[in-house]
Amino acid sequence: MNTKMQILEGKNIRLRALEPTDLKLLYKWENDSTIWEVSHTTKPFSIFILKQYLESSYLDIFETKQVRLVIELIDSNTPIGLIDLFEFDVFHQRAGVGILINNAENKNKGFASEALEILCNYAFNTLLVHQLYCNITSANEISLRLFTKQGFEIVGTKKDWIRSKDGWLDEHNLQKLNPANS
């Protein structure tokens, strides 16, 4: 039995490429208006647009400046979320990070933390980025804990940056430097 883990695989989850069979799942998750505030979405995505996105998802991160991976449970091959690298900047060796664990039954089980750890290792050791960053509203305490637990530090705050149904929210900028070259 081979006990060596793959680059994009952890103990409980793996990160895998999008497949054409993910269209319905992507449609459901992208159009979940309860997460639009954190994803900065203001309108639904059509199946047509998402199908085009899937058809181009084979392109390299160096071409598209982004990669979206499915977070999948190893034991059942069940997709439970998505994790992204976006605004990939080759010159400055940095990328933004976004993550979604969709269903409540898969939250608070360490899957997001494991996925983020795997993605950071991939970004730092395979893509050789110098830094990763994310932007999280001050009201999103769960995401703030997730990212700070994985070594991201708050490096700044934009006041009244995000307009929500409850008023204006501050947005924290978090950053993690590659430990191998910082």
Side-chain angles (χ1 to χ4, degrees):
M1 182 170 124
N2 184 3
T3 59
K4 184 177 178 184
M5 283 196 265
Q6 298 296 314
I7 291 172
L8 294 174
E9 191 171 292
K11 180 181 176 189
N12 300 299
I13 60 106
R14 77 174 56 89
L15 307 182
R16 66 161 174 82
L18 288 165
E19 297 288 349
T21 54
D22 293 321
L23 180 61
K24 287 181 182 178
L25 192 61
L26 201 57
Y27 180 77
K28 177 184 172 191
W29 289 349
E30 290 289 354
N31 290 312
D32 179 355
S33 62
T34 64
I35 62 167
W36 283 3
E37 187 173 293
V38 296
S39 65
H40 303 296
T41 301
T42 57
K43 66 182 180 92
F45 287 90
S46 70
I47 288 179
F48 175 77
I49 293 297
L50 292 171
K51 188 174 181 193
Q52 285 184 316
Y53 174 74
L54 282 173
E55 288 171 355
S56 67
S57 67
Y58 71 91
L59 295 170
D60 192 89
I61 188 172
F62 292 92
E63 294 176 72
T64 63
K65 310 300 180 204
Q66 68 177 17
V67 65
R68 171 166 286 173
L69 300 167
V70 174
I71 303 168
E72 182 175 81
L73 296 176
I74 291 173
D75 62 352
S76 64
N77 296 325
T78 303
I80 61 166
L82 301 167
I83 194 163
D84 300 304
L85 288 175
F86 60 89
E87 295 178 5
F88 180 64
D89 185 325
V90 177
F91 182 77
H92 294 289
Q93 297 175 302
R94 64 179 171 231
V97 178
I99 187 169
L100 165 73
I101 300 292
N102 187 260
N103 296 325
E105 68 263 13
N106 292 315
K107 294 183 179 182
N108 300 314
K109 293 185 175 180
F111 298 142
S113 184
E114 187 176 348
L116 185 55
E117 182 178 1
I118 293 167
L119 186 78
C120 289
N121 288 334
Y122 170 68
F124 291 147
N125 299 317
T126 301
L127 299 177
L128 304 176
V129 300
H130 174 64
Q131 59 184 291
L132 295 170
Y133 65 90
C134 62
N135 300 303
I136 304 171
T137 63
S138 55
N140 192 344
E141 295 175 9
I142 293 170
S143 288
L144 287 168
R145 276 195 307 273
L146 167 67
F147 279 86
T148 56
K149 179 182 169 187
Q150 286 297 324
F152 284 73
E153 296 177 31
I154 296 174
V155 294
T157 302
K158 296 178 265 186
K159 300 293 183 185
D160 288 349
W161 195 253
I162 301 295
R163 190 171 104 185
S164 75
K165 64 181 185 321
D166 299 321
W168 292 95
L169 300 172
D170 294 348
E171 184 176 78
H172 298 301
N173 301 40
L174 288 87
Q175 179 182 42
K176 181 176 182 175
L177 298 177
N178 187 337
N181 59 21
S182 58

